[in-house]
Amino acid sequence: MNLSSTANDLDLPLHEAAKDPKVWSHLKQAIATSSGFDKWQRSRNGDPKGDPKDVVAVQESVLDDLVRSYLRETLETLAY
């Protein structure tokens, strides 16, 4: 399965979802509470322990930047 076939299976195309702030907000919150995001953030901060719930309390604009950085770095790693 590739990304294009996955995108075609969605009810809402990815480019349309990106235009909807409500969809992005929910997706961002889901990513920010994931174990992968938590591990990535702890490794950046040098913090061996952390509470994923702390991320939810971060300001929306800061969380937006963090999630975008996480996604960018993750995709770069996968592309490598």
Side-chain angles (χ1 to χ4, degrees):
M1 176 186 292
N2 61 35
L3 183 58
S4 61
S5 67
T6 303
N8 291 336
D9 292 341
L10 298 174
D11 291 332
L12 183 64
L14 292 177
H15 67 277
E16 290 298 318
K19 293 178 187 177
D20 187 342
K22 194 178 204 179
V23 171
W24 172 242
S25 179
H26 290 295
L27 181 59
K28 183 171 44 179
Q29 290 298 324
I31 292 168
T33 57
S34 71
S35 60
F37 181 86
D38 180 53
K39 183 178 178 181
W40 171 81
Q41 189 165 16
R42 285 186 289 122
S43 71
R44 286 185 61 193
N45 296 335
D47 180 13
K49 295 183 181 179
D51 187 355
K53 294 175 188 167
D54 291 341
V55 171
V56 178
V58 173
Q59 289 182 345
E60 195 71 17
S61 63
V62 173
L63 182 59
D64 191 69
D65 290 341
L66 286 171
V67 169
R68 288 176 187 273
S69 293
Y70 167 70
L71 292 173
R72 187 178 309 107
E73 288 182 26
T74 300
L75 289 173
E76 287 171 357
T77 301
L78 290 172
Y80 180 72

